[in-house]
Amino acid sequence: MERPPVQIAVIGAGAIGQRHARLCASHPESTLRAIVDPAPAAIALAGELDVPVFADIESMIAAIRPEAVIVATPTPLHESICVAAAEAGLHLLVEKPISADVPSARRIIDVAEANGVSLLVGHHRRHNPIVAAAREIIGGGELGRLLAVNMLWAVRKPDAYFTVPWRTQPGAGPVLTNLIHDIDLLRHLCGEISAVTAHVGNMGRGLAIEDTTAVLIRFETGALATVTASDAAPSPWSWDANSGENPAIRMSRANSTRFLGTQAALEFPDLRIWRHATGEEPSWNATSISEERLVTPADAYHSQLTHFCAVIRDGAAPVCSGEDGLRTLAAASAILLSASENRTIVPEQG
């Protein structure tokens, strides 16, 4: 017997919210029930997709009763919206970061659990087959013991991006808006983060928020990572430019990350493995050979929605749970705290 699609309301009609809404409307396992956002763009989107639009979650809940919501609002609004949805018994997919700080993230998790609703955090890259393949390569020991990671994320956001007021306020800089994706990937691929040391700068734009950061990370395994990020520097080096996942960023196919192990190294996202030729003694004089792993491309947002429906319908364990989202937020927040206090920070666990 064919099961009914999951009834979903999308809260927030910005760029990501619009992408979620269109996916919900076209996905075979979901039905878009409503859009919640008072902005004119939300009214236009609702008209396009032929669904009702509401100014706030309370009026939406009073009028209709979807099974779930996707929260794609500015981060400071996540806590109040997620709590209201959970208390109404609605399952949650909340865009990253899960919330503005660890205490509010903990409240979202606790309220969701108390009301028996599922909580999935939208670190969508975990649903990309490239990431699944890298996790298998690293976790399966092909690199030997992981020693270090070098990661670079650099783009030039257009000046118009900052005409939206909340994007110039503390918490809206690239650490919590963009780099948190990469921090989550590092946790997903390399294990838990035990300490961070960071510096930030704002020379690119001179705003109150950072535009550039450099981070040293220690993992619980003892492996180290260096991470450099900037949203004020044009470059071909970022996950987005390589993977093509973000349509707003032109593809470059330039790898942005390198994982270094005792037996081999991995370029990512292209999944090129470098090792010594078979039979040669490991040495800097040995011949280096490379092999590129191929994966079948898939839309990570589409796969994430499929997974969200499975979490609701089948009780599947969330690929990125609330606790996972909290730990990623804690690590990203530790970067900002380390920079402000000029010391090494152990991420809090809430």
Side-chain angles (χ1 to χ4, degrees), residues 155-203:
V155 301
R156 169 76 189 195
K157 290 179 181 175
D159 292 343
Y161 179 91
F162 297 95
T163 59
V164 179
W166 72 268
R167 289 175 174 167
T168 66
Q169 303 303 311
V175 171
L176 290 181
T177 303
N178 308 105
L179 187 60
I180 194 165
H181 275 305
D182 300 283
I183 298 301
D184 187 71
L185 274 187
L186 288 176
R187 285 190 56 250
H188 188 56
L189 298 175
C190 307
E192 294 300 337
I193 293 171
S194 60
V196 302
T197 307
H199 293 279
V200 300
N202 64 350
M203 292 191 303

Side-chain angles (χ1 to χ4, degrees), residues 10 15 48 56 87 89 98 103 129 154 174 213 224-225 228 276 279 301 309 311 346:
V10 172
E48 173 193 333
D56 53 62
E87 289 180 340
I98 180 174
T213 184
L224 302 176
T228 302
H276 291 142
Y301 282 98
C309 293
V311 168
V346 175

